[in-house]
Amino acid sequence: MEPTVPTTSCTNFFNYDTFTHFTTIPAVAIILVLAFLEKRKHGKGIWNGRPALIVPLNLLDGYENRLAFAAAFGAVTNETLTLFWEILYTDLEYPLWAVALILQLRVVEVTVVCFPLFACIATRHRLVGSVCGFLYSALLCGGVVTSLVQWLCESGHINKVPPAESIAIYLPVLVCYLCLMLRSAVLIIRLVASEVYSLQEDTDTVHPHQIIHVRLLLSGYYDAVLTKEETFRQKVCYRSIQGFKYPVKIVCAVFIITVILYQLAVAEIGFVMSAQELKNLDENIQLPVFNHTIIFLTPQAVDGMIGTYYAVAFVANAAAFIHIYFFLKIYRKNILRLHQGDQSFICQIDQRAQYIMASNLRFLGYLIAYSVWGTVIAFFFLLGLSLVVYYALFLMDANGYLVTFLTYVAQVLSFPATALILFYLQVVMARYVLLQDKIRPTDEDPPLNVDNRRFYEGFNFFSLFGSLTIGIFSCFLRILIGTVMGGVMVGRLDKTTFMRNMERHDRGHLSYISMLHVENSHNHPVVRVFCGVLWDETLQKRHDSQRTLFGTPVRLYRTFPDVEPSEDEHLISGTSGRKSQRQISVLKNTRYVRKWKLAYTLLRNPGLRRQRKTFASNGGHKPQEAIESVMVEIHDFSSMIN
């Protein structure tokens, strides 16, 4: 008797869904540990202020640990995709209201499972967070590896070379888990070596890039950046802008979208590679129809369809990545224009603050969902359109009707060609016959005034009937372009596919606009720096009573971080030889400070010189002498502090 190969030994020995259910136990334990390490600001009479709410990541005004949070989002990509697929493959044996409730419970479970990865990065108790984060990341990584082995085992590839697409799909998730474990391990070693296991509560209300933004704003840097016309190369190529930094939420959302799109691309390639039945076609498929033999499929046609599939997959995924790239550029430009007070580029939202805030909360979920589903919809839309066109051309070519069809198409295209010729004829006639001459030879265009009125009326009457005959083709072209652009651009939240005055009904675009308003309200650099100055002065008065051994005031809190001047600041101000370290501080109200403020104000506002007493006492003559005396004192003060 031949020995039997145990084919069921590796079947169903691990279920990832069951593993996710049981993972909620250590997840809740880690959440409770981190919660009991923090104290509440209010209600401290209960258990000495413990436990407190913990923040998994700062989505409102966070700019720290962006790569770590992005790796955490990349690690939970499988859980995120689970929510996508469960919408399609939900058991319909239950009532719809029960299905909706089950999906919401599943969302809560996935949220609890993913929560510790982010909370361990955000907590100020670094040692506890690093240890818990390392162990929890190792647990989830082990589950992913076991699930991959289970998949390969059930597919019969455990003793063979594993398929590349199976490993490639799990590769970014495993890399993200390894990065999280490596970060936690390195942080544990550093904390143990420095014997600093937790950090004080961060009181920085101003981020370094916001300070640089205000400095460059006063120098006119952003006026030149945002107002000048960009060439095609500048619109396409990415260039950095000083004083701007992408927040945590944008970086994390873009990273998880990139990982999901990568997995979808690998799955699309693996689907065709696994379809061996299509590749094994050796002969033509033909059937008799009305005493004629019609060829329906050939091996060459199958190869052409597979090539069309690959081309569409490449175009759809490339378009998705290009959309992400331009979303980053447009978001940066939009938020900077909002900081300048320019709201002309967005639709007006006539809603209350609570609706804007609620719409802002949907932005991240909408951005990921729209990008992923938009790519899927665009892929199937383009695939169906391309296959229909290719198969129609193949049928006509295989049965000898292609030349006749192309001849008919050429005859039909004569109508839009005539319309195009008529349009350019109207342009030439308008330029040289209907419009008046230029007012000045240096003008780019003539004024929009009719010169030959009789000819205008006659030519307009002729164009009326001419446009009626070709208007149907323009109508069909409008429908075709709208359909194609609507299918391809459905994943863009920064652009709407609706017409003007209907933009507010686009929920995805409305969430983007609401996010911009909330971002501008909470993270405006000028408001942040101004509030930081007030808060810094208040804290200085409150805590200057504590002194060191040498009698120097001790600042227990700080508002402004240490910031070095950027290269653009050096180029603009021409002060590259100054000190390398700069720190915004609240100066005392001394005589030199008042003189400096006076000189700065008068130089920026020359019209105020006539309203000063010095100008009146001099009889309205030689006001420059007062300014020169002020500048001499400022020079003496600058030499003292430098």
Side-chain angles (χ1 to χ4, degrees), residues 55 290 427:
V55 179
F290 297 108
V427 171

Side-chain angles (χ1 to χ4, degrees), residues 284-349:
N284 299 341
I285 298 178
Q286 53 188 9
L287 296 174
V289 178
F290 297 108
N291 298 327
H292 294 280
T293 301
I294 304 298
I295 300 175
F296 286 95
L297 198 62
T298 62
Q300 294 76 14
V302 173
D303 295 337
M305 290 181 180
I306 294 176
T308 303
Y309 178 91
Y310 281 126
V312 170
F314 175 79
V315 170
N317 288 277
F321 286 108
I322 292 174
H323 287 172
I324 295 175
Y325 170 75
F326 280 103
F327 166 77
L328 291 175
K329 294 195 62 175
I330 292 177
Y331 163 78
R332 181 180 64 177
K333 186 176 182 179
N334 290 345
I335 198 65
L336 289 178
R337 291 179 64 181
L338 273 182
H339 291 340
Q340 299 287 330
D342 182 11
Q343 299 186 9
S344 59
F345 61 95
I346 58 178
C347 62
Q348 298 298 325
I349 302 178

Side-chain angles (χ1 to χ4, degrees), residues 9 460 613:
S9 59
N460 195 9
K613 293 182 179 180

Side-chain angles (χ1 to χ4, degrees), residues 472-486:
I472 184 65
F473 296 98
S474 178
C475 178
F476 287 151
L477 183 62
R478 181 183 184 184
I479 296 174
L480 178 62
I481 294 177
T483 303
V484 173
M485 295 303 296

Side-chain angles (χ1 to χ4, degrees), residues 145-167:
V145 172
T146 309
S147 177
L148 176 60
V149 174
Q150 168 75 14
W151 183 14
L152 298 177
C153 184
E154 291 179 352
S155 302
H157 297 287
I158 194 65
N159 295 322
K160 302 178 182 179
V161 178
E165 62 271 13
S166 301
I167 306 298

Side-chain angles (χ1 to χ4, degrees), residues 534-552:
L534 300 180
W535 183 235
D536 190 74
E537 186 175 1
T538 302
L539 292 178
Q540 184 178 13
K541 294 178 181 179
R542 183 181 302 175
H543 300 288
D544 274 355
S545 59
Q546 300 189 12
R547 297 179 178 274
T548 62
L549 179 63
F550 299 98
T552 305

